[in-house]
Amino acid sequence: MASIELEKINKNFPGVKALNSISQKIGSGEFFTLLGPSGCGKTTLLRTIAGFYQQDSGHIYLSDKVIDNVPAFKRDTGMVFQSYAVFPHMTVYENVAFGLKTRKVNDSEIKKRVLKALEQVHLSGYETRTPDQLSGGQQQRVGLARAMVIEPKVLLMDEPLSNLDAKLRVEMRTEIRNMQRLLGITTVYVTHDQEEALAISDKIAVMNFGVIQQVGTPWEIYKEPANLFVASFVGDINVVNGASLGTEVGLTSILVDKNQSKENINIAIRPEELSIVTKEVSGAEFSCIPGVIEKSSFIGSLIRYTVDCGNDVILTVELHKPQSEALMPNGTSIFVKVPVKSILYFHSETGERI
Ligand code: ADP
Ligand code: MG
């Protein structure tokens, strides 16, 4: 069991500030995910925690002990890579035993621990196979067993599922999560896949340009995004500038409250919060925006409508559990019903939540 603390970590590569003063605590036993677009610094941060990179400044603590100068192989961290990184000429057993051999563990202890690790990743009986006799998912399980067999205090995983097909990815992420819970091992997990992050994590740090934008539970990140970057990166969201919408959709009160002009405010709402009505309803809780159906698609669990509301305002509406096969034809005049409570307001220049 170990906690991690990052204190003002900076890391530059020529011409790039890969990590910009990252400070974060990760609790013992926590499943902590770094989520963000390609190039935002996730791998750099993970490798810095592992000790493969040295930070330019700042400190890393493992259970309150500073580990800045501890070499990677002595940090008690196990790493699982994006590519399987299994040795092709070694059997499954030899692959998993490798880290223990280099640590001079005796043969009977090695055997015990390798068999246990293989059992944990559901590969018992595969000991004598070579990687070319395994599927992608099984190879990644070998990678996982290899990281776990050294019984690290911290498990670090860099997009471990990105080489697998969609169905297997979902299966494996559940397995990884179950195993992590069972062992209670502190885990830092990197992904650019927001759905994966939401599904698997205790906490998520959303990163952009080497900066942590927000840290929160999956629910907080999705429901209470701190800024427009987080709101748009995690899930779909409609964003409309206040100036395009008149003073409906709760704008009036926020303009008065926050002393803002309409142009300064971006209004955002998730597609699943919206619905479509044929008659205008009015009240304090809902606003109705008139529009015309521009496009519709049925995708199994939901129907997605694109509605043109004029003034360059295009809204995506998602209706879950569709009750009828019939889609509203393009060109139909309707109203988009907006629950005022579900609207998020952001500053149009800074992107910060208002
Ligand atoms: P991510 O894992 O989020 O895709 P990385 O941590 O790999 O992002 O990269 C962050 C930034 O640092 C990128 O701009 C990338 O080009 C740069 N970078 C990463 N590793 C190196 C390196 N070894 N040398 C130079 N630049 C690097
Ligand atoms: Mg990466």
Side-chain angles (χ1 to χ4, degrees):
M1 286 295 217
S3 59
I4 301 170
E5 182 168 358
L6 309 171
E7 192 182 286
K8 294 191 183 147
I9 302 290
N10 284 290
K11 176 76 185 167
N12 291 290
F13 293 115
V16 191
K17 203 160 187 39
L19 301 176
N20 190 349
S21 196
I22 301 269
S23 291
Q24 183 60 42
K25 285 184 183 168
I26 298 168
S28 183
E30 205 162 73
F31 198 110
F32 191 91
T33 297
L34 305 174
L35 171 68
S38 177
C40 74
K42 305 180 296 294
T43 294
T44 304
L45 185 53
L46 203 71
R47 287 176 160 262
T48 306
I49 297 171
F52 298 138
Y53 290 156
Q54 180 73 39
Q55 66 269 29
D56 299 336
S57 63
H59 303 290
I60 303 177
Y61 302 86
L62 196 64
S63 295
D64 298 332
K65 277 203 200 99
V66 68
I67 55 165
D68 298 343
N69 297 316
V70 178
F73 71 98
K74 285 190 176 163
R75 280 197 184 188
D76 266 340
T77 55
M79 185 96 166
V80 182
F81 298 92
Q82 177 171 9
S83 55
Y84 312 127
V86 289
F87 304 120
H89 56 286
M90 289 185 188
T91 63
V92 167
Y93 184 94
E94 288 163 346
N95 261 285
V96 179
F98 184 79
L100 296 175
K101 282 218 169 106
T102 58
R103 282 171 175 78
K104 308 269 190 286
V105 177
N106 71 52
D107 282 350
S108 68
E109 177 72 11
I110 290 182
K111 186 166 182 198
K112 208 174 86 192
R113 281 165 68 174
V114 169
L115 294 183
K116 186 176 141 207
L118 288 175
E119 196 185 316
Q120 281 166 343
V121 299
H122 307 297
L123 280 182
S124 296
Y126 287 73
E127 292 80 4
T128 58
R129 293 215 197 176
T130 49
D132 62 340
Q133 298 168 320
L134 300 176
S135 69
Q138 289 166 337
Q139 288 188 46
Q140 196 52 295
R141 286 196 173 93
V142 175
L144 198 58
R146 218 172 50 175
M148 286 187 342
V149 79
I150 58 166
E151 296 175 0
K153 289 193 178 139
V154 172
L155 194 57
L156 304 173
M157 295 198 249
D158 194 354
E159 313 226 13
L161 307 182
S162 58
N163 286 333
L164 307 178
D165 65 56
K167 195 149 179 270
L168 193 56
R169 234 169 25 225
V170 172
E171 262 174 52
M172 280 284 287
R173 81 183 182 208
T174 311
E175 278 184 28
I176 287 177
R177 181 55 164 149
N178 290 344
M179 201 171 54
Q180 186 270 343
R181 278 216 180 97
L182 199 71
L183 302 176
I185 187 168
T186 311
T187 300
V188 187
Y189 187 94
V190 163
T191 182
H192 66 272
D193 180 335
Q194 44 107 4
E195 187 196 304
E196 192 171 292
L198 291 174
I200 207 170
S201 317
D202 290 317
K203 278 209 189 125
I204 300 173
V206 182
M207 292 179 69
N208 198 21
F209 296 123
V211 175
I212 293 183
Q213 303 285 323
Q214 183 176 4
V215 180
T217 63
W219 182 267
E220 287 162 350
I221 293 287
Y222 189 79
K223 289 289 194 182
E224 300 292 344
N227 57 43
L228 197 49
F229 173 79
V230 174
S232 321
F233 190 77
V234 183
D236 293 327
I237 197 155
N238 293 294
V239 183
V240 177
N241 185 261
S244 323
L245 265 186
T247 43
E248 61 265 72
V249 293
L251 251 184
T252 316
S253 59
I254 206 125
L255 294 179
V256 176
D257 276 8
K258 308 281 176 187
N259 198 19
Q260 298 283 355
S261 68
K262 283 202 282 183
E263 294 75 17
N264 283 345
I265 292 182
N266 278 340
I267 296 161
I269 189 156
R270 304 261 181 220
E272 71 270 21
E273 301 285 354
L274 298 173
S275 53
I276 286 178
V277 291
T278 47
K279 283 203 191 89
E280 186 166 13
V281 284
S282 56
E285 286 169 34
F286 294 99
S287 292
C288 269
I289 305 171
V292 174
I293 303 278
E294 190 185 80
K295 209 164 59 182
S296 60
S297 43
F298 170 65
I299 44 176
S301 61
L302 59 88
I303 291 174
R304 182 177 293 131
Y305 285 109
T306 307
V307 181
D308 185 347
C309 300
N311 239 346
D312 287 332
V313 176
I314 308 283
L315 296 177
T316 302
V317 180
E318 282 177 6
L319 308 179
H320 289 253
K321 289 200 258 172
Q323 296 299 319
S324 147
E325 203 183 325
L327 297 178
M328 269 184 258
N330 297 348
T332 311
S333 292
I334 48 84
F335 295 91
V336 177
K337 187 176 165 194
V338 183
V340 175
K341 259 202 218 149
S342 309
I343 299 171
L344 305 173
Y345 302 93
F346 298 94
H347 199 280
S348 57
E349 266 169 35
T350 63
E352 292 305 309
R353 182 88 174 270
I354 297 173

